[in-house]
Amino acid sequence: MVVYVDLIFLTNLCIDGALIGLTAWMRKTKLVWWRWLLSAIVGALYVVMMFVPEFDFMFTFLIKFGLSLVMLSIAFGFKGLQAFMRTLGTFYVINFVAAGGILGVHYMLQSSGELFNGIWFTASGGMSFDLKIAFWFTFVVFFAVLFLFKAVQSSKRKTDRMTTYLGKVEVFIDDVTISCTGLLDTGNQLTDPLSRMPVMVMEVSLWQDMLPAAWKGRLKDEAPDNLIMELDQEDFHWQDRLRLVPYRGINKGTAFMLAMKPDRVKVTMDEMCYETTKVLIGLDGGVLSSDGKYQAVIHPELVQDAASAQSTAISAGATEKPLNVV
């Protein structure tokens, strides 16, 4: 059998470098390039030593574990025991995910005959497995598994970040209450130019039962002023609450959004409840979130104004809550 040591060294250099890099990404730590490279070289040299019979004593659990400590110390340094242990745990989790992914893909692609050919019985009656995985298969699947793992983690981080901006929205008009999940959009500056009230956008489907039947399915494609003109022939008891709010969309000219004036709106975020009457509800004919995580876009003023009022009251030693904070 011919063993190409240089190829094995370069392969393990790439693998160790990828493991260290993904560990840094998971821990949100910036790597110094020479420490990163040196750590990967140490790991690659250890694998090369397995072909030297005099170094067979090094392939024990304690030596392997010690080598991982050395690699992480070189790459990340030692900034405290707690931080180092978290980095070590992240490093091993990524290793186990990669190894498990390679084995999983390997057995998934095997036929039943190939699988049983790799099983044999020992003299004592026990059962053992003969695992043979091609070099290039391991190399390709390793990076595929790491790429998939990073993609899943990125999606999870995005979801976690979005969750911090989600809140419960309750809109009250007469005896009707509409509840949904809203997303706080800190860049939303949509306001009514006449009243200067902030506009919170909601999906029109939440209000479908309260709106005129002739409007169903038309708000997305038809101008809202045309719909309002038709109200002469409709019995809509909230007609005096309707507003037309001008806005400018991306790569579009000025358009109008149909909005309603509620009695009050209550937003609950991070166990804080904000209530206000100075707000308009803009009706969007489409779907605000493709995965259905939220059905409303919360204007930042609904939270900022209430939070500022609460902070002022606390600093002044007030014993009562401000009117727009519950």
Side-chain angles (χ1 to χ4, degrees), residues 54-70:
E54 290 77 7
F55 293 133
D56 58 348
F57 67 92
M58 297 185 64
F59 296 94
T60 61
F61 168 76
L62 291 179
I63 298 297
K64 293 177 181 178
F65 182 73
L67 179 69
S68 65
L69 299 181
V70 173

Side-chain angles (χ1 to χ4, degrees), residues 88-157:
L88 179 64
T90 304
F91 178 74
Y92 273 105
V93 167
I94 295 173
N95 274 272
F96 295 152
V97 168
I102 293 173
L103 290 176
V105 174
H106 172 71
Y107 279 111
M108 182 176 65
L109 297 178
Q110 275 190 319
S111 64
S112 60
E114 292 174 333
L115 177 62
F116 285 106
N117 286 335
I119 301 176
W120 52 281
F121 292 90
T122 63
S124 60
M127 187 168 60
S128 182
F129 298 88
D130 187 14
L131 180 62
K132 296 180 180 179
I133 303 179
F135 170 80
W136 288 112
F137 176 87
T138 303
F139 184 78
V140 172
V141 174
F142 171 82
F143 285 99
V145 169
L146 289 190
F147 177 79
L148 180 61
F149 178 75
K150 184 178 180 180
V152 172
Q153 289 297 318
S154 298
S155 177
K156 181 178 180 300
R157 285 184 178 182

Side-chain angles (χ1 to χ4, degrees), residues 44-82:
L45 287 175
Y46 176 78
V47 176
V48 173
M49 291 179 185
M50 68 186 300
F51 298 101
V52 181
E54 290 77 7
F55 293 133
D56 58 348
F57 67 92
M58 297 185 64
F59 296 94
T60 61
F61 168 76
L62 291 179
I63 298 297
K64 293 177 181 178
F65 182 73
L67 179 69
S68 65
L69 299 181
V70 173
M71 291 176 60
L72 294 178
S73 298
I74 294 174
F76 299 96
F78 187 83
K79 301 177 182 179
L81 181 60
Q82 186 177 18

